[in-house]
């Protein structure tokens, strides 16, 4: 009997892993733009300060005489402008109303600091008002000139981003017009949605890497059934912009930016590509080694109890389907009678999972006495730390399933096989065995894949401890 799974590529990595750690493409241009804006803003603020001191009231003002306070003023104003996101690209640096609010907020802080710092002296109110007024005027004018110069250079073909468009022929012309309205992109290639299909996917991303593509525009219709593909763009260091249709909804990792006058879902690429999944693997490796050493006395105690409870081996090894359909042997402490797998066929009619993909029974007669205790506290899963150490599993991820379950998969279930399976996951901390429908479990797995982060893994691990201690849904 063969497993209905996708073609197996032995060296194919986890969906979330990058092909090496590297700096995001185009980051040098963006860094130069930000540094230029910061330098111009500082120049404008220093000029506004000196003019305010020159034309303000001639008082014994310690605020005007100390250069250290000028430095504090500049740092505070630049910091607030940065916090407001006004050094980001596109419409952000042209947001004059937010720039006005940022400068005004910094002026309020400066007045408060001036009052507390030198409460025994008069502070020139006219100097502050002039400084605030000139700061607003100079910064807005400088940003406007910067924007005009940038647009002129882009019309000449300088400082443009190489982008790739993936859309169906019916939407191609409209999407090209949207991209061209922004006047900062060069469309380097166009393909239809079939380039994201499983058989074409690797060639597509290899082509994008060779061409040095910084951003990719993908129509919602081309990606709505392939949302986990966002990880392919993310790990390739390519910013993904999803062009809308009338019925789109936001992806969990996306932010809305206006491109060509329309809202566009954007999933930004990381500055340093590949580090987050590398940290995950290092964390898995270190934790598995430490836990195997610390828990070795418990391993010996459980092994002794299993031997005394029923005849048969201490460990149970079963073939599971893991990353990209690869088969591997999962390790568990034996909790059933020795011939449990042969007896399962006679119990299929009592399966409590409604769609029949998984096999679960609350009062399974094959479970031994010590097995019930081990399952209650999930102690039977401890040997899977060996699978984590060998790189076959992770601490957190979708549970690897037996061949019997995978043979009943439909096409949309195979997204689970795109990431490294885990000992625990979102499914386990959201009800464990109480989930009686495999589709509900798949939805939780997809939610985990779409929202994955190191913090999410840590949160699931902490919740797992709570669920195990409380024995929630365990049998």
């Amino acid at each position: 009997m063969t497993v209905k799974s996708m073609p197996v590529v032995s060296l194919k990595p986890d969906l979330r892993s990058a092909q090496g750690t590297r700096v995001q493409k185009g980051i040098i241009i963006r860094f130069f733009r930000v540094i230029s804006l910061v330098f111009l803003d500082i120049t404008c603020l220093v000029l506004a300060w000196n003019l305010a001191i020159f034309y303000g009231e001639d008082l014994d003002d310690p605020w005007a005489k100390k250069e250290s306070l000028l430095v504090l003023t500049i740092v505070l104003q630049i910091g607030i402008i940065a916090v407001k996101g006004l050094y980001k690209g596109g419409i952000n640096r042209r947001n004059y109303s937010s720039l006005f609010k940022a400068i005004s907020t910094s002026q309020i802080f400066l007045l408060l600091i001036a009052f507390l710092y030198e409460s025994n002296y008069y502070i020139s109110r006219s100097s502050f008002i002039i400084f605030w007024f000139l700061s607003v005027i100079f910064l807005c004018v400088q940003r406007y000139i910067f924007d005009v110069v940038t647009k002129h250079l882009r019309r000449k073909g300088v400082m443009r981003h190489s982008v790739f468009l993936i859309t169906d022929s019916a939407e191609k012309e409209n999407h090209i017009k949207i991209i061209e309205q922004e006047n900062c992109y060069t469309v380097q290639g166009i393909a239809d949605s079939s380039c994201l299909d499983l058989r074409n996917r690797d060639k597509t991303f290899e082509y994008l890497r060779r061409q040095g593509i910084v951003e990719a525009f993908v129509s919602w219709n081309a990606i709505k059934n392939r949302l986990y593909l966002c990880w392919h763009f993310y790990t390739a260091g390519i910013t993904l912009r999803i062009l809308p249709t009338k019925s789109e909804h936001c992806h969990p990792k996306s932010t809305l930016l206006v491109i060509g006058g329309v809202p566009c879902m954007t999933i930004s690429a990381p500055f340093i590509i590949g580090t987050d999944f590398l940290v995950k693997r290092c964390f898995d490796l270190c934790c598995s080694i430490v836990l195997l050493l610390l828990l070795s006395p418990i391993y010996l105690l459980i092994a002794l109890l299993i031997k005394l409870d029923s005849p048969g081996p201490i460990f149970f090894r079963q073939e599971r389907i893991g990353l990209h359909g690869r088969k591997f042997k999962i390790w568990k402490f034996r909790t059933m009678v020795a011939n449990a797998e042969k007896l399962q066929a006679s119990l299929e009619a009592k399966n409590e999972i409604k769609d029949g993909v998984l096999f679960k029974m609350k009062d399974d007669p094959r479970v031994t006495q010590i097995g019930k205790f081990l399952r209650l506290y999930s102690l039977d899963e401890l040997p899977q730390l060996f699978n984590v150490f060998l790189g076959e599993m992770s601490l957190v991820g979708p549970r690897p399933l037996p061949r019997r379950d995978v043979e009943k998969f439909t096409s949309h279930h195979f997204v689970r096989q795109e990431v490294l399976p885990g000992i625990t996951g979102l499914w386990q901390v959201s009800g464990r065995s109480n989930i009686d429908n495999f589709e509900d479990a798949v939805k939780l797995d997809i939610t985990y894949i779409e929202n994955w982060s190191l913090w999410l893994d840590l949160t699931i691990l902490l919740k797992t401890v709570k669920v195990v201690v409380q024995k929630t849904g365990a049998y």
Side-chain angles (χ1 to χ4, degrees):
M1 186 179 295
T2 57
V3 178
K4 299 184 294 181
S5 64
M6 64 186 80
V8 178
V9 181
S10 59
L11 297 178
K12 199 169 184 180
D14 184 291
L15 174 69
R16 301 159 294 178
S17 63
Q19 295 184 359
T21 302
R22 60 191 184 280
V23 177
Q24 179 191 354
K25 297 181 182 71
I27 195 64
I28 296 176
I29 295 176
R30 296 177 191 177
F31 179 76
F32 176 76
R33 173 177 55 79
V34 172
I35 291 299
S36 299
L37 272 176
V38 170
F39 174 77
L40 291 172
D41 285 351
I42 291 174
T43 302
C44 290
L45 291 172
V46 171
L47 179 60
W49 174 274
N50 289 321
L51 289 174
I53 299 301
F54 182 79
Y55 288 105
E57 295 178 33
D58 187 15
L59 298 175
D60 186 16
D61 187 351
W63 185 265
K65 296 177 181 179
K66 296 183 180 181
E67 293 184 359
S68 59
L69 294 178
L70 172 58
V71 174
L72 173 63
T73 301
I74 300 300
V75 169
L76 179 62
Q77 291 195 308
I78 294 297
I80 292 178
I81 292 171
V83 169
K84 289 283 188 180
L86 299 174
Y87 288 114
K88 296 179 181 179
I91 197 172
N92 296 286
R93 68 168 179 265
R94 302 190 296 270
N95 193 336
Y96 301 113
S97 62
S98 292
L99 191 62
F100 173 82
K101 292 176 184 177
I103 296 169
S104 299
T105 302
S106 66
Q107 291 295 322
I108 293 172
F109 277 112
L110 288 173
L111 282 172
L112 181 61
I113 293 170
F115 175 77
L116 295 175
Y117 184 79
E118 295 287 358
S119 57
N120 295 325
Y121 291 87
Y122 289 103
I123 304 299
S124 174
R125 288 169 290 183
S126 61
S127 296
F128 266 96
I129 293 172
I130 294 171
F131 178 51
W132 168 78
F133 178 76
L134 292 180
S135 295
V136 171
I137 297 298
F138 287 175
L139 285 179
C140 289
V141 170
Q142 175 263 122
R143 292 292 181 106
Y144 177 77
I145 295 173
F146 185 91
D147 196 50
V148 170
V149 172
T150 300
K151 288 181 177 179
H152 176 73
L153 292 174
R154 282 174 172 168
R155 281 194 293 269
K156 298 292 185 179
V158 181
M159 297 174 63
R160 283 178 167 264
H161 303 298
S162 297
V163 300
F164 194 83
L165 174 62
I166 299 175
T167 185
D168 293 323
S169 56
E171 300 178 296
K172 183 172 68 174
E173 294 300 325
N174 180 48
H175 286 159
I176 289 175
K177 289 179 181 178
I178 290 173
I179 296 171
E180 288 178 344
Q181 284 181 41
E182 201 64 19
N183 195 33
C184 64
Y185 298 109
T186 299
V187 180
Q188 199 160 323
I190 303 173
D192 60 32
S193 57
S194 64
C195 74
L196 297 177
D197 290 344
L198 180 62
R199 63 181 180 276
N200 302 322
R201 190 180 306 157
D202 291 338
K203 292 181 180 177
T204 299
F205 283 95
E206 178 60 31
Y207 173 80
L208 295 179
R209 278 189 289 266
R210 286 201 315 268
Q211 295 298 314
I213 299 298
V214 176
E215 300 180 20
F217 285 83
V218 182
S219 69
W220 172 253
N221 288 332
I223 204 169
K224 64 183 177 183
N225 295 322
R226 309 177 179 91
L227 281 179
Y228 60 91
L229 275 176
C230 297
W231 281 110
H232 286 271
F233 290 97
Y234 188 85
T235 57
I238 299 172
T239 295
L240 172 62
R241 302 194 187 276
I242 303 175
L243 293 164
T245 61
K246 292 181 180 179
S247 60
E248 80 283 355
H249 65 277
C250 288
H251 186 272
K253 283 186 173 291
S254 66
T255 55
L256 280 177
L257 294 177
V258 176
I259 304 292
V262 299
C264 181
M265 281 186 284
T266 299
I267 301 176
S268 300
F271 290 134
I272 306 296
I273 301 156
T275 52
D276 45 5
F277 188 76
L278 180 62
V279 171
K280 174 182 172 68
R281 178 56 193 150
C282 291
F283 180 78
D284 284 343
L285 186 61
C286 293
C287 282
S288 61
I289 293 172
V290 172
L291 289 174
L292 284 170
L293 293 174
L294 292 177
L295 298 174
S296 54
I298 297 177
Y299 277 60
L300 294 174
L301 178 60
I302 293 175
L304 178 61
L305 292 174
I306 291 173
K307 272 298 183 183
L308 294 174
D309 182 59
S310 64
I314 295 171
F315 294 104
F316 170 70
R317 294 187 67 197
Q318 186 185 48
E319 184 180 88
R320 295 289 176 100
I321 308 302
L323 180 63
H324 301 301
R326 291 201 293 268
K327 302 172 187 176
F328 72 101
K329 294 287 186 178
I330 196 173
W331 287 77
K332 299 179 75 173
F333 282 120
R334 182 174 61 84
T335 60
M336 292 185 173
V337 295
N339 61 339
E341 288 187 293
K342 294 180 180 178
L343 296 174
Q344 181 171 320
S346 62
L347 299 172
E348 287 286 352
K350 299 181 180 180
N351 188 3
E352 296 176 5
I353 299 296
K354 294 177 181 178
D355 50 21
V357 177
L358 302 179
F359 181 84
K360 291 283 184 182
M361 278 185 68
K362 190 168 185 178
D363 297 312
D364 197 321
R366 300 170 296 166
V367 180
T368 63
Q369 288 300 314
I370 188 64
K372 291 179 181 178
F373 174 80
L374 295 177
R375 288 187 169 203
L376 189 63
Y377 292 99
S378 299
L379 296 174
D380 58 318
E381 310 283 355
L382 289 180
Q384 288 166 41
L385 291 170
F386 289 107
N387 294 112
V388 175
F389 175 75
L390 295 172
E392 297 169 330
M393 292 177 64
S394 174
L395 291 175
V396 182
R399 285 294 294 169
L401 299 177
R403 291 183 58 184
R404 176 258 178 211
D405 299 342
V406 177
E407 284 168 358
K408 298 187 178 184
F409 275 14
T410 55
S411 58
H412 73 282
H413 293 154
F414 284 102
V415 63
R416 301 178 78 258
Q417 313 305 123
E418 289 283 322
V419 300
L420 204 63
I423 296 178
T424 186
L426 197 56
W427 170 9
Q428 283 66 39
V429 299
S430 302
R432 297 173 82 190
S433 298
N434 288 335
I435 294 176
D436 61 359
N437 190 312
F438 183 63
E439 288 298 330
D440 293 336
V442 170
K443 287 178 183 177
L444 289 172
D445 288 335
I446 292 176
T447 298
Y448 169 75
I449 293 170
E450 290 180 353
N451 293 276
W452 176 77
S453 66
L454 295 171
W455 177 250
L456 178 59
D457 273 7
L458 183 59
T459 302
I460 291 173
L461 285 173
L462 294 175
K463 285 185 177 180
T464 299
V465 176
K466 179 182 176 182
V467 167
V468 169
V469 171
Q470 294 179 343
K471 300 175 285 188
T472 306
Y475 60 83

